[in-house]
Each structure stands twice: as structure tokens, then as C-alpha cells.
Amino acid sequence: MIMRNEDDQPEAERPAAAAPGEAETAQTRRAMLRIGALGTAAVVTVRPGIAHAAVSALTCQIPVPQSTQPNKWIKNNGDVVNPNTGNSYPPPSQPLSGEDVKNSLKYGTNYPGYTSQQTNAYNNYIKKLTMGKQGYTCYASLQSPSRQ
């Protein structure tokens, strides 16, 4: 079955031709109505997704270091090193929450129960996360301008 819109009607089925300027105006009006209808549908379907993403960004977690590096410490510059390496700190006992990470990166707050040196080392680690590593998606979602 072939679907047609009114612009696709065969010549014999089209309404009587109006003045040239009126036909162009009618087509422009139809086009604007279509755009308006699409815009309304997009707002209705996108807004809930944005709200959900904002909430999930704050409730996500970032393991420091990722679980494939157990018993490793974090150096001041964010590198993952062997335990007791100079200028390094033991990892947090639990993954860091997205909300704590956002507050630390944006406002300079310390992670609860950790010193400013530890917080800085963990933040340096987080800033080095790349696609495919645990916590990257959470960190990337916190960087979105709408989450600031």
C-alpha cells in the first residue's frame, strides 16, 4: 500500500488551483504546522529522559580504582600504583557517589572521611578515566552542562 500526503495527490484529484501566491502560502503554513507538531512531541518525550538522567548522574558510583585493580593505591597525580608507594593513598573503602564527586570537583569539598590530599588524588584518578573503564560513564554524565 502506498501512502500519500495531500501534496502527492494525482493532478486530477487535487483541489482547484488557487492563485500562485496562495498555494505557496498554504504550503508554508503546512510546513510550519508540521514543524510545530514535531517540536511539541519532542518536548514531551525528551524532558522526562533529561530528568531521569540528572537523577541517575547523582546516584551513580565511581570505583577508585576499578575492580580489575584490587589492592592498588592512588598516587597524588591519579596514577594507580602498588601499596605503600611514596605519595600514594589507599583507595576509598567504597565507590565514590556521583553527588560527592560532583561536589568535590565543582566546589572543592573533601570526600566524607578523607583528607584533602586523598580527595585530590582520587579526583586526579577520576579525571584520567577513559571510555571503557569503570566509572567513566558516571564521570562523563557529571560533566554535562545541564548537571552543573
Side-chain angles (χ1 to χ4, degrees), residues 50-145:
I50 291 172
H52 177 69
V55 170
S56 64
L58 296 179
T59 59
C60 64
Q61 296 183 334
I62 301 176
V64 177
Q66 57 185 342
S67 62
T68 58
Q69 299 171 311
N71 304 318
K72 297 288 186 175
W73 286 24
I74 307 300
K75 196 168 180 167
N76 282 345
N77 64 3
D79 289 344
V80 178
V81 295
N82 289 323
N84 299 313
T85 300
N87 297 318
S88 67
Y89 304 96
S93 56
Q94 298 179 8
L96 301 172
S97 75
E99 186 168 16
D100 287 340
V101 171
K102 181 188 97 152
N103 289 334
S104 181
L105 293 173
K106 187 171 182 182
Y107 304 113
T109 61
N110 288 341
Y111 294 118
Y114 297 98
T115 67
S116 61
Q117 292 84 6
Q118 288 172 304
T119 297
N120 288 335
Y122 301 154
N123 284 343
N124 288 334
Y125 169 83
I126 291 168
K127 290 175 187 176
K128 289 183 174 186
L129 287 174
T130 57
M131 191 176 297
K133 291 194 175 186
Q134 288 177 329
Y136 172 77
T137 303
C138 180
Y139 174 58
S141 69
L142 296 172
Q143 299 306 303
S144 175

